[in-house]
């Protein structure tokens, strides 16, 4: 089933952010809000949208370090609407995925966002409920909903510090009503009563800024896709996924049709040398040192040396990747593909080298910690489950804070 929208209306959905504020003009300007949400990926956007719809009388601000919303994982994923078929029945991930997919289809129908239910075959099992959509377009729709409900969005605001305000500025009572100060490296400041962070690749660092736990740590894994040449698109009519191997953290290679008509093949999974390292040679000294010095990553690597080396080899030599793909489409050849886009996965890891595969919420104690809630891990399929995750996070916010 294919849903489309008239050109003018669809263009309006794509141009979601016409009024976004770029930073704060003066260090002396102290904007105050009831709740600040840090991170405008799809999880942060869905959570902010859910909260403001539940509490329209409160004031909300969404802080994003990039110039645009949904600039990272939300805009670099495969575009699949998952059915939840390979998650443990009854598990939180399965329940959120099933509800999230239902809500996602309903949302796309309501907003006129194009999608397609193209199905997915896992071995001999057909999953007709699986679909595809442009998740960044969906995320931008959440952003428009948030703004239309009265929420403020501030871009180019990279949070570098959170603290409790001890005194009110110039005798104003705002210091008591809005005791948390959130600052960026430029010295701009936003004050609020409560903070929710949905930082994705930086969720652990945001937690550390507020004095909360250093774990789980985020280790970035880059996934490189191949793209099928247009003349070979006929080979793939729906999503093709392998049965996941429980011994390893990732799904393995798969075939994914795209809303633009293209077909992605892959991805592999290799350690990225930068948290936003979308290219092979992207490197950040701090990110690299943080990853290699973490005992949890060292243990993970030692347990999976052969698997990791194989992923790296297949990332460099496409012929090796093709051999894996040929298990599902034997007629596929090296000449049928080109190197394609990449994504970076924010993989949460504990100190024992275990991949954190469930949701992790974290707060603290004291004047600051008791007013902050960190979403430390929102595992795949976070995009599919985003509206359901937003409901769960809003419930968590309401249970911890007095809104």
């Amino acid at each position: 089933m294919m849903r489309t929208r008239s050109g003018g209306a669809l263009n309006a959905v794509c141009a979601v952010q016409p009024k976004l504020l770029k930073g704060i003009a003066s260090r002396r300007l102290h904007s105050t809000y009831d709740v600040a949400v840090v991170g405008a990926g799809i999880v942060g956007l869905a959570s902010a949208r859910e909260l403001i719809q539940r509490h329209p009388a409160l004031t909300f601000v969404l802080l994003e370090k990039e110039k645009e919303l949904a600039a990272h994982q939300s805009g670099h994923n495969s575009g699949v609407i998952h059915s939840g078929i390979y998650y443990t029945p009854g598990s939180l991930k399965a329940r959120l995925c099933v509800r999230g997919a239902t809500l996602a289809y309903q949302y796309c129908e309501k907003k006129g966002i194009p999608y397609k239910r193209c199905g997915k075959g896992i071995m001999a099992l057909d999953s007709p409920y699986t679909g595809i959509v442009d998740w960044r377009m969906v995320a931008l729709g959440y952003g428009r909903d948030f703004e239309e409900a009265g929420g403020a969005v501030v871009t180019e605001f990279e949070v570098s510090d959170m603290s409790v305000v001890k005194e009110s500025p110039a005798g104003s009572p705002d210091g008591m009503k809005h005791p948390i100060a959130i600052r960026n490296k430029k010295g701009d400041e936003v004050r609020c009563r409560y903070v929710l962070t949905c930082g994705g690749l930086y969720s652990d660092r945001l937690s550390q800024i507020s004095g909360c736990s250093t774990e789980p740590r985020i280790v970035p894994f880059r996934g490189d896709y191949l793209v099928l040449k247009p003349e070979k698109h006929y080979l793939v009519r729906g999503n093709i996924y392998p049965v996941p191997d429980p011994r390893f953290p990732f799904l393995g290679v798969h075939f994914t049709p795209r809303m633009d008509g293209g077909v992605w093949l892959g991805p592999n999974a290799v350690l990225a040398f930068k948290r936003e390292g979308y290219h092979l040679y992207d490197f950040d000294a701090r990110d690299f040192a943080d990853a290699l010095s973490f005992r949890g990553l060292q243990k993970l690597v030692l347990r999976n040396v052969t698997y990791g080396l194989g992923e790296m080899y297949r990332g460099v030599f496409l012929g090796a990747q093709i051999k894996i793909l040929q298990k599902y489409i034997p007629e596929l050849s090296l000449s049928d593909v080109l190197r394609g886009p990449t994504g970076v996965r924010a993989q949460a890891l504990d100190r024992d080298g275990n991949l954190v595969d469930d949701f992790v919420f974290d707060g603290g104690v004291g004047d600051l910690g008791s007013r902050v809630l960190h979403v430390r891990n929102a595992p795949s399929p976070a995009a599919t489950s985003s509206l359901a995750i937003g409901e769960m996070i809003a419930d968590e916010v309401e249970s911890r804070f007095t809104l």
Side-chain angles (χ1 to χ4, degrees):
M1 179 183 296
M2 180 74 172
R3 301 295 184 192
T4 59
R5 190 176 188 176
S6 62
L10 180 56
N11 289 336
V13 173
C14 295
V16 162
Q17 27 195 16
K19 301 181 294 181
L20 300 187
L21 305 176
K22 292 193 174 182
I24 297 179
S26 169
R27 185 173 183 172
R28 293 173 295 176
L29 176 60
H30 298 287
S31 300
T32 58
Y33 302 89
D34 291 305
V35 180
V37 179
V38 180
I42 199 166
V43 171
L45 288 164
S47 302
R49 173 184 179 272
E50 180 69 21
L51 281 166
I52 201 170
Q53 289 182 349
R54 292 189 188 187
H55 301 278
L58 301 183
T59 56
F60 292 83
V61 64
L62 183 62
L63 304 176
E64 168 56 40
K65 74 182 184 69
E66 303 294 352
K67 294 181 180 180
E68 299 180 344
L69 309 184
H72 291 293
Q73 293 181 92
S74 306
H76 293 80
N77 56 56
S78 63
V80 175
I81 303 175
H82 292 277
S83 64
I85 196 169
Y86 38 66
Y87 303 123
T88 304
S91 67
L92 180 60
K93 285 182 68 170
R95 288 185 282 113
L96 288 173
C97 185
V98 171
R99 175 161 175 75
T102 299
L103 293 175
Y105 282 126
Q106 292 173 354
Y107 186 83
C108 291
E109 287 281 352
K110 180 179 179 180
K111 299 293 183 177
I113 297 175
Y115 70 89
K116 185 178 181 181
R117 291 189 185 181
C118 54
K120 173 169 62 184
I122 302 180
M123 294 293 282
L125 182 62
D126 182 46
S127 175
Y129 197 59
T130 298
I132 55 174
V133 73
D134 183 335
W135 281 117
R136 186 165 190 268
M137 186 182 293
V138 174
L140 295 182
Y142 299 166
R144 175 175 286 275
D145 294 343
F146 177 75
E147 282 198 295
E148 290 178 347
V153 178
V154 181
T155 58
E156 298 182 74
F157 192 104
E158 183 174 357
V159 175
S160 62
D161 180 67
M162 296 183 199
S163 64
V164 175
V165 177
K166 299 300 183 183
E167 298 179 359
S168 304
S172 167
D174 283 347
M176 297 300 293
K177 292 181 180 178
H178 305 91
I180 305 301
I182 305 175
R183 302 179 184 90
N184 64 14
K185 293 181 179 179
K186 300 175 184 177
D188 301 324
E189 181 177 286
V190 166
R191 292 191 181 179
C192 59
R193 293 168 56 208
Y194 303 106
V195 183
L196 167 67
T197 74
C198 302
L201 286 161
Y202 296 94
S203 62
D204 54 346
R205 290 182 182 171
L206 285 171
S207 179
Q208 292 173 46
I209 285 172
S210 69
C212 294
S213 174
T214 59
E215 294 181 19
R217 294 276 289 276
I218 295 298
V219 177
F221 282 88
R222 190 183 75 251
D224 304 308
Y225 285 92
L226 305 177
V227 294
L228 197 59
K229 291 182 178 179
E231 62 270 21
K232 294 294 183 176
H233 285 177
Y234 70 90
L235 291 172
V236 180
R237 294 187 294 274
N239 291 277
I240 303 173
Y241 273 52
V243 174
D245 188 333
R247 296 175 300 166
F248 302 117
F250 306 108
L251 282 174
V253 297
H254 41 274
F255 300 74
T256 306
R258 301 281 295 176
M259 287 302 299
D260 61 6
V263 179
W264 288 9
L265 317 177
N268 63 341
V270 296
L271 179 67
F273 300 147
K274 182 180 179 180
R275 293 205 178 196
E276 296 164 2
Y278 297 104
H279 304 287
L280 180 62
Y281 299 109
D282 284 348
F283 178 82
D284 181 272
R286 180 188 177 187
D287 292 347
F288 185 63
D290 279 355
L292 288 190
S293 63
F294 181 45
R295 185 59 178 165
L297 177 62
Q298 297 169 10
K299 291 181 178 180
L300 177 68
V301 170
L302 289 174
R303 288 201 302 262
N304 298 280
V305 170
T306 301
Y307 178 84
L309 291 175
E311 289 292 285
M312 294 175 65
Y313 180 82
R314 287 187 288 273
V316 175
F317 299 99
L318 298 190
Q321 187 88 316
I322 292 298
K323 287 183 179 180
I324 301 296
L325 294 165
Q326 285 173 337
K327 294 180 180 179
Y328 308 96
I329 300 181
E331 57 263 52
L332 189 70
S333 67
L334 182 60
S335 62
D336 295 332
V337 303
L338 300 170
R339 289 191 180 274
T342 63
V344 178
R345 174 175 177 168
Q347 180 61 57
L349 197 64
D350 68 21
R351 68 178 62 189
D352 294 319
N354 299 313
L355 300 167
V356 181
D357 198 38
D358 207 347
F359 294 86
V360 177
F361 297 105
D362 185 22
V365 296
D367 293 338
L368 177 58
S370 62
R371 289 178 175 267
V372 180
L373 174 63
H374 299 288
V375 180
R376 300 294 301 269
N377 191 44
S380 178
T384 298
S385 306
S386 55
L387 288 174
I389 292 172
E391 293 175 338
M392 181 179 69
I393 290 173
D395 290 342
E396 190 74 18
V397 169
E398 290 174 338
S399 71
R400 293 186 183 225
F401 307 143
T402 304
L403 297 183

